Amino acid sequence: MTEQVRLDVLPYGDRALLVEVGDTPNVVAYVDALRAAEVPGVADVIPAAETVLVVAEPGSPVGALRSALLGIRPDPSADASSDEGDVVEIPVRYDGPDLADVAELTGLSERDVVDAHTGSTWRVAFGGFAPGFGYLVGGDPRLHVARRTSARTAVPAGAVGLAGEYTGVYPRESPGGWQLIGTTEAPMWDLDRDPPALLRPGARIRFTEVGS
Amino acid sequence: MTVRLRVRAPGPLSVIEDLGRHGTSGIGVGRSGAADRASLRQANRAVANPEGAAAVEVTLGGLELEAVGGPALLCVTGAPCPVTVDGRDVGAYCVFPVPEGSVVRLGPATAGLRSYVAVRGGLDVPEVLGSRSHDVMAGLGPAPLREGDELPVGAAGTAYPVVDSLPPPSFDGPVVLRAVRGPRDGWVKDPDLLVTTEWTASDKTNRVGMRLLGAELEPVDARRQLPSEGAYRGAVQVPPSGEPVVFLADHPVTGGYPVVAVVVDEDVDRAAQVRPGQALTFRWVEAP
């Protein structure tokens, strides 16, 4: 059974179109379907929280692209955690300063929070906050928590956090308001590596627990 | 020994740019590249380079380069400015040789904001993610030029320059940017203010974007928040202050404020030549 995703294509200048797909799991499904369809004339695809910005190749009219984008049929029931493709494993020490708060907010024990976080395969939905940062979705819905009421001025690189339906890893020290549950030593961003980002849109991610 | 250009003075801001990066937005790194791509292409064509060869983008003049290890062939386009070789006037929009040991100097731009200095063979600095562009936003690519830097010049291609001078485009006169309405024009009370206001470029202008003064585009609902959306060069984003920002080459990959209009791609090059304090207007056009 597949539920039809409602698509809307909005103007975005003479070189791009903004596709509204509703929510982040639909973004992941739409980008999967768009890549599979190999639509000609597409130069770049920039997924975000509820939309996908599609940039046309120079000389490729956006009018023609518009109908092609409306014709893409994403299948959100193709589970975000399906086993296709390689899974990137990220070892995490679950020692974050907000682990107890997350347990309280979710009504789970700290042990359950860790088990829930490591218990499913996440997908990278989109990036954009900083080079190498990815918003991951598809995890255990019991982990949905609000951001912290006040943001920290400095979150260390490698901090693993939760916010809303997302989990993510800070690629470098930056301000941030996510609930921090752990730390990883896996470098998220390394310009001497190809590709430099560990988390790329579409990638499948599994967190594993390492002892402290 | 390869030919190099030694930086004797960088001026207020000189950076190396080509036509930018492809396909890196998903990992949070934008396109970047020359703010005025048309002028970069023109300079490269004049010295028989591929259009996207790396060149120096010079903001408001002041750059001094010395040819080291051999002679170089240069052309300056973009914002017109006085150009001299060892004090002798050669002018912008001309192809000119710089003998080994000679110094080329760019005076203050007389109109426009950014000049481009292309050298035959291109600047052969290391690529980062497939481009030699400095990106202010992502903080990568070759660093802004400093006194004493030596920029290696690449091998010239088999093509030879065919012209000595180019017709300079006019950077005087009123600036009218064509813009397509949307995608989030419904998020402000009066999106037509964009085309009925004479805007002034503020001094908060850099390679990331140009902030405009002149009117406030009031939000329909100040409490409503837009989830992050992908952004593109030319987007006119309206932050809570109501003062619009036109995104330029090093814009963020995604943004959380509504984009009420997007400047036609070709006109973004013109936008990148608007000086702080200069007036500009917008005109609605239909999306093609």
Side-chain angles (χ1 to χ4, degrees):
Chain A
M1 191 192 82
T2 60
E3 197 186 322
Q4 198 70 266
V5 174
R6 249 205 60 165
L7 301 178
D8 204 358
V9 177
L10 303 178
Y12 206 101
D14 64 334
R15 291 288 312 283
L17 291 165
L18 187 70
V19 188
E20 285 190 309
V21 298
D23 62 20
T24 310
N26 284 349
V27 166
V28 176
Y30 188 85
V31 171
D32 280 348
L34 180 60
R35 295 225 159 96
E38 293 179 354
V39 176
V42 172
D44 202 1
V45 174
I46 305 153
E50 299 175 3
T51 55
V52 180
L53 183 67
V54 181
V55 180
E57 295 278 8
S60 185
V62 290
L65 191 55
R66 193 189 149 80
S67 49
L69 295 179
L70 278 170
I72 299 291
R73 291 276 160 261
D75 181 3
S77 71
D79 186 23
S81 60
S82 68
D83 291 331
E84 297 166 53
D86 293 337
V87 175
V88 178
E89 286 205 357
I90 299 181
V92 178
R93 207 167 56 239
Y94 285 92
D95 58 357
D98 301 325
L99 184 59
D101 284 354
V102 170
E104 194 177 325
L105 286 165
T106 56
L108 301 172
S109 68
E110 292 186 17
R111 183 69 249 159
D112 291 340
V113 170
V114 174
D115 289 346
H117 198 249
T118 54
S120 56
T121 304
W122 300 74
R123 293 281 310 269
V124 181
F126 61 100
F129 162 71
F133 188 82
Y135 292 80
L136 278 59
V137 291
D140 192 317
R142 291 178 300 165
L143 291 178
H144 292 191
V145 286
R147 286 157 192 264
R148 284 167 48 83
T149 44
S150 67
R152 290 184 169 89
T153 52
V155 172
V160 178
L162 295 168
E165 66 189 295
Y166 305 113
T167 193
V169 183
Y170 286 81
R172 58 188 182 196
E173 186 184 295
S174 47
W178 289 32
Q179 307 272 8
L180 306 181
I181 58 171
T183 315
T184 181
E185 281 167 18
M188 295 294 115
W189 181 256
D190 179 359
L191 270 177
D192 295 326
R193 180 173 66 193
D194 183 24
L198 195 61
L199 306 181
R200 298 179 298 286
R204 291 173 164 77
I205 309 295
R206 210 167 170 95
F207 295 95
T208 56
E209 185 180 12
V210 294
S212 47
Chain B
M1 198 66 189
T2 56
V3 179
R4 282 107 60 213
L5 297 176
R6 179 184 291 153
V7 178
R8 289 169 55 110
L13 177 66
S14 295
V15 291
I16 296 175
E17 300 291 340
D18 53 21
L19 289 175
R21 305 187 164 81
H22 298 262
T24 52
S25 49
I27 56 171
V29 176
R31 182 80 192 252
S32 189
D36 173 358
R37 298 153 297 179
S39 293
L40 174 81
R41 289 192 176 103
Q42 192 182 25
N44 274 325
R45 280 197 303 269
V47 293
N49 283 346
E51 285 192 332
V56 186
E57 179 179 284
V58 185
T59 302
L60 292 170
L63 176 71
E64 278 182 42
L65 298 171
E66 177 185 348
V68 178
L73 193 68
L74 272 62
C75 180
V76 179
T77 64
C81 59
V83 181
T84 58
V85 175
D86 293 340
R88 184 175 49 87
D89 187 28
V90 293
Y93 291 90
C94 291
V95 177
F96 59 92
V98 182
E100 180 175 1
S102 287
V103 174
V104 57
R105 179 167 199 291
L106 274 65
T110 51
L113 189 59
R114 296 176 168 101
S115 307
Y116 292 84
V117 183
V119 56
R120 183 154 193 256
L123 294 174
D124 191 19
V125 297
E127 291 189 347
V128 177
L129 298 177
S131 161
R132 298 182 169 91
S133 290
H134 169 73
D135 184 333
V136 175
M137 189 77 202
L140 48 79
L145 302 190
R146 281 164 305 192
E147 187 187 337
D149 284 352
E150 292 203 357
L151 315 176
V153 175
T158 50
Y160 284 91
V162 291
V163 293
D164 295 330
S165 64
L166 313 165
S170 172
F171 288 99
D172 301 320
V175 178
V176 184
L177 304 176
R178 293 169 292 168
V180 177
R181 214 176 153 117
R184 301 295 176 197
D185 48 319
W187 282 60
V188 294
K189 285 180 183 164
D190 184 6
D192 283 324
L193 263 183
L194 196 71
V195 294
T196 54
T197 304
E198 185 175 82
W199 300 94
T200 305
S202 89
D203 54 6
K204 287 181 186 142
T205 288
N206 59 16
R207 284 181 43 84
V208 174
M210 170 171 63
R211 185 176 291 269
L212 303 178
L213 305 172
E216 284 179 15
L217 290 164
E218 270 187 79
V220 170
D221 178 356
R223 287 160 308 171
R224 196 167 160 214
Q225 283 201 343
L226 186 73
S228 295
E229 295 189 333
Y232 192 66
R233 192 188 289 231
V236 182
Q237 199 193 53
V238 181
S241 70
E243 290 166 352
V245 176
V246 180
F247 278 170
L248 300 178
D250 292 355
H251 65 82
V253 175
T254 58
Y257 300 128
V259 169
V260 297
V262 180
V263 175
V264 166
D265 195 53
E266 192 186 335
D267 289 6
V268 183
D269 288 335
R270 183 67 190 89
Q273 292 290 3
V274 173
R275 294 178 165 215
Q278 193 176 344
L280 67 113
T281 56
F282 293 90
R283 175 164 74 80
W284 289 138
V285 293
E286 293 295 319

